[in-house]
């Protein structure tokens, strides 16, 4: 299956000042899921139309990866 | 629009308890703002006037604010009004409605002639996703009166500011929509024998100073302006409120506003407040708040007992 590559562009300005809305810890960009990950609480926030959505209710709890996915999710989990 | 000196406020105290009072249905508010993103009237003179007034205050301040966080409310009005004031270089635009943020972002290409770098994000003022001590200025034009936890949102704004950073906000005050409030109450009591909240509790002028100091801001300042907007009919007033994203978002709302009551409200409003020429006035009271993040360079009252001169000697 050919996966279209999504270019996730977070401006430098935003990447320097955005943090997780709940834990206030730094966020990490995950290109695979086009989201920002808060490792501190294990939640991912989507980036829609290039706009980060950091409202708590938009956050999704990251599922613990199974063994099959361990290679794919190396970047994200 | 005519300006009037403000009169004394009514007795509404909504958001000041420390326990979390859930007055606003933020989710519904968000959906309303999404819908209303498409109704925004660029020529809304009230909103533009408030935005201009807010930014005007920057000209009195002997400081520049290169990185500015703009909180939702009337984002687009602020964006359009920003020019040279305050030396703003980077503008971070945040609102809880994705549609509104997208609208602003798309409108950006028409404004690309100035040198301001804009960034966009969707976020909640009560859960601010901004690193502490990272911005020079936080500005909010007619947005904070919708928060359930206004002191909390203000504290978060303060923490996002660098030392000696400035917080500038305009919110609607308690006198706003007083005519509508009265008309609603009367109509409701006549029709349904009870009163349900239709108009959100708003901060009073006297509360604004407390809010600022409680949030830890130094050198707090509060100003009030009152505007009277004239409409051709009550329907037009409601349309304007919808366009401003300000319609009923209260949690304890009655599911359906009965049509009879709505019609009665319009009738009461018109009979009580209509001007001789048939136009309907509505009061908008705007409270402007300023506060600073603490810094050693700021003036502070001296410690008690440290006086070196007695009043007797003066």
């Amino acid at each position: 299956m050919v996966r279209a590559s999504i270019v996730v562009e977070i401006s430098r300005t935003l990447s320097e000042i955005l943090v997780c809305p709940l834990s206030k810890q730094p966020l990490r960009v995950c290109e695979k899921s086009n989201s920002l990950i808060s490792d501190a609480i294990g939640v991912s926030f989507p980036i829609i139309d290039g706009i980060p959505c950091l409202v708590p209710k938009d956050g999704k709890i990251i599922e613990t990866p199974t063994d099959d996915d361990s290679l794919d999710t190396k970047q994200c989990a | 629009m005519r300006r009037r000196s403000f009169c004394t406020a009514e007795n509404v105290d909504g958001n000041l308890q420390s326990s979390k009072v859930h007055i606003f249905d933020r989710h519904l508010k968000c959906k309303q703002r999404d819908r209303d993103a498409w109704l925004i009237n660029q020529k809304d003179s009230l909103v533009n006037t408030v935005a201009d007034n807010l930014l005007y205050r920057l000209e009195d301040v002997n400081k520049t604010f290169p990185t500015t966080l703009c909180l939702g409310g009337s984002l687009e009005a602020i964006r359009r009004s920003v020019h040279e004031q305050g030396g703003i270089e980077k503008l971070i635009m945040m609102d809880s409605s994705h549609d509104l943020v997208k609208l602003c972002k798309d409108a950006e290409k028409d404004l690309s002639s100035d040198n301001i770098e804009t960034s966009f994000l969707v976020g909640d003022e009560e859960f601010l996703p901004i690193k502490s001590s990272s911005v020079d200025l936080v500005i909010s034009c007619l947005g904070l009166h919708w928060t359930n936890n206004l002191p909390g949102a203000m504290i978060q704004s303060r923490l996002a500011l660098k030392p000696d950073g400035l917080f500038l906000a305009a919110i609607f005050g308690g006198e706003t929509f007083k005519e509508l409030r009265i008309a609603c109450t009367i109509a409701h009591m006549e029709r349904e024998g009870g009163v349900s909240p239709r108009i959100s509790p708003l901060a009073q002028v006297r509360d604004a100073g407390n809010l600022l100091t409680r949030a830890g801001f130094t050198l707090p300042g509060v100003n009030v302006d009152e505007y009277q907007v004239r409409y051709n009919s009550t329907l037009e007033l409601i349309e304007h409120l919808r366009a401003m994203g300000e319609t009923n978002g209260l949690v304890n709302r009655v599911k359906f506003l009965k049509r009879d009551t709505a019609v009665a409200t319009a009738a009461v409003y018109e009979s009580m407040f209509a001007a001789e020429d048939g136009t309907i006035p509505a009061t908008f009271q705007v409270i402007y708040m300023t506060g600073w993040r603490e810094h050693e360079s700021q003036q502070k009252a001296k410690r008690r007992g440290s006086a070196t001169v007695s009043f007797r000697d003066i």
Side-chain angles (χ1 to χ4, degrees):
Chain A
M1 182 179 88
V2 176
R3 190 175 298 204
S5 63
I6 304 163
V7 177
V8 173
E9 271 177 35
I10 302 290
S11 72
R12 194 172 154 168
T13 305
L14 283 185
S15 60
E16 282 169 9
I17 72 163
L18 287 184
V19 292
C20 169
L22 298 163
S23 67
K24 308 293 186 192
Q25 299 302 305
L27 295 164
R28 159 167 76 78
V29 177
C30 174
E31 283 171 22
K32 181 172 170 253
S33 56
N34 198 24
S35 63
L36 290 165
I37 312 275
S38 168
D39 287 315
I41 53 173
V43 169
S44 83
F45 296 96
I47 299 171
I48 303 173
D49 290 334
I51 301 171
C53 298
L54 295 170
V55 180
K57 68 170 174 59
D58 287 342
K60 277 202 297 280
I61 298 179
I62 300 170
E63 316 256 310
T64 331
T66 62
D67 286 342
D68 292 343
D69 295 335
S70 59
L71 279 172
D72 273 343
T73 53
K74 196 164 62 138
Q75 264 192 331
C76 295
Chain B
M1 245 183 322
R2 280 185 265 140
R3 288 164 70 141
R4 253 191 10 214
S5 59
F6 69 95
C7 41
T8 51
E10 337 158 17
N11 222 359
V12 177
D13 185 318
N15 293 318
L16 297 185
Q17 284 83 24
S18 51
S19 64
K20 206 156 190 254
V21 181
H22 212 70
I23 298 174
F24 300 111
D25 183 346
R26 298 276 278 171
H27 183 63
L28 172 62
K29 183 78 212 137
C30 198
K31 283 190 134 29
Q32 280 174 343
R33 287 181 66 72
D34 279 347
R35 178 195 70 198
D36 296 324
W38 305 109
L39 293 176
I40 284 170
N41 177 6
Q42 294 222 342
K43 298 198 189 61
D44 188 324
S45 51
L46 172 69
V47 165
N48 288 334
T49 304
V50 176
D52 283 340
N53 277 337
L54 260 186
L55 290 166
Y56 188 69
R57 280 159 166 71
L58 291 178
E59 298 181 23
D60 287 338
V61 175
N62 191 15
K63 200 173 185 284
T64 54
F65 305 96
T67 305
T68 296
L69 172 65
C70 188
L71 299 180
S74 304
L75 273 186
E76 62 293 335
I78 292 283
R79 179 63 186 99
R80 266 178 284 118
S81 300
V82 165
H83 304 296
E84 302 286 317
Q85 314 93 321
I88 295 173
E89 290 165 17
K90 295 182 190 178
L91 200 53
I92 296 135
M93 315 279 276
M94 187 186 100
D95 193 285
S96 50
S97 150
H98 186 272
D99 287 353
L100 232 148
V101 176
K102 184 128 198 320
L103 198 76
C104 276
K105 190 172 181 203
D106 292 341
E108 198 52 30
K109 48 187 171 329
D110 302 326
L111 295 161
S112 54
S113 55
D114 59 30
N115 286 325
I116 296 175
E117 179 206 315
T118 47
S119 313
F120 300 88
L121 74 131
V122 179
D124 188 337
E125 300 92 338
E126 300 182 37
F127 299 96
L128 207 57
I130 305 289
K131 189 157 75 173
S132 62
S133 305
S134 60
V135 300
D136 302 290
L137 168 66
V138 173
I139 192 163
S140 174
C141 180
L142 301 175
L144 288 176
H145 47 262
W146 277 115
T147 51
N148 274 314
N149 183 3
L150 181 50
M154 286 170 71
I155 289 170
Q156 303 228 3
S157 293
R158 188 188 120 247
L159 292 172
L161 285 170
K162 295 179 190 165
D164 213 26
L166 174 63
F167 172 77
L168 258 187
I171 57 171
F172 281 130
E175 287 294 288
T176 305
F177 310 144
K178 62 182 175 199
E179 300 92 346
L180 186 58
R181 211 186 288 268
I182 293 169
C184 268
T185 307
I186 292 174
H188 230 90
M189 279 171 60
E190 282 177 2
R191 297 266 146 191
E192 298 174 29
V195 185
S196 97
R198 297 239 160 261
I199 305 171
S200 51
L202 295 165
Q204 301 301 304
V205 178
R206 61 174 178 266
D207 301 327
N210 283 338
L211 282 170
L212 287 165
T213 35
R214 213 177 119 169
F217 289 109
T218 57
L219 309 168
V222 177
N223 284 109
V224 191
D225 262 343
E226 206 167 272
Y227 306 93
Q228 233 194 32
V229 181
R230 301 214 156 248
Y231 300 89
N232 292 323
S233 65
T234 330
L235 193 63
E236 229 184 70
L237 163 64
I238 306 286
E239 275 309 303
H240 187 211
L241 292 183
R242 281 190 58 217
M244 285 172 64
E246 298 288 342
T247 45
N248 198 337
L250 287 177
V251 169
N252 296 327
R253 67 196 182 282
V254 171
K255 269 283 182 191
F256 309 103
L257 172 59
K258 291 192 193 157
R259 194 185 148 68
D260 278 358
T261 314
V263 169
T265 303
V268 172
Y269 199 127
E270 275 160 39
S271 74
M272 284 182 79
F273 301 109
E276 283 194 3
D277 58 359
T279 57
I280 316 288
T283 301
F284 290 84
Q285 186 192 50
V286 180
I287 302 176
Y288 295 93
M289 300 192 285
T290 54
W292 297 82
R293 176 107 200 237
E294 61 281 5
H295 187 258
E296 310 87 58
S297 68
Q298 290 161 2
Q299 309 166 287
K300 269 200 272 282
K302 282 206 163 348
R303 198 172 41 82
R304 287 178 71 143
S306 66
T308 50
V309 181
S310 162
F311 270 113
R312 250 182 259 127
D313 302 333
I314 298 174

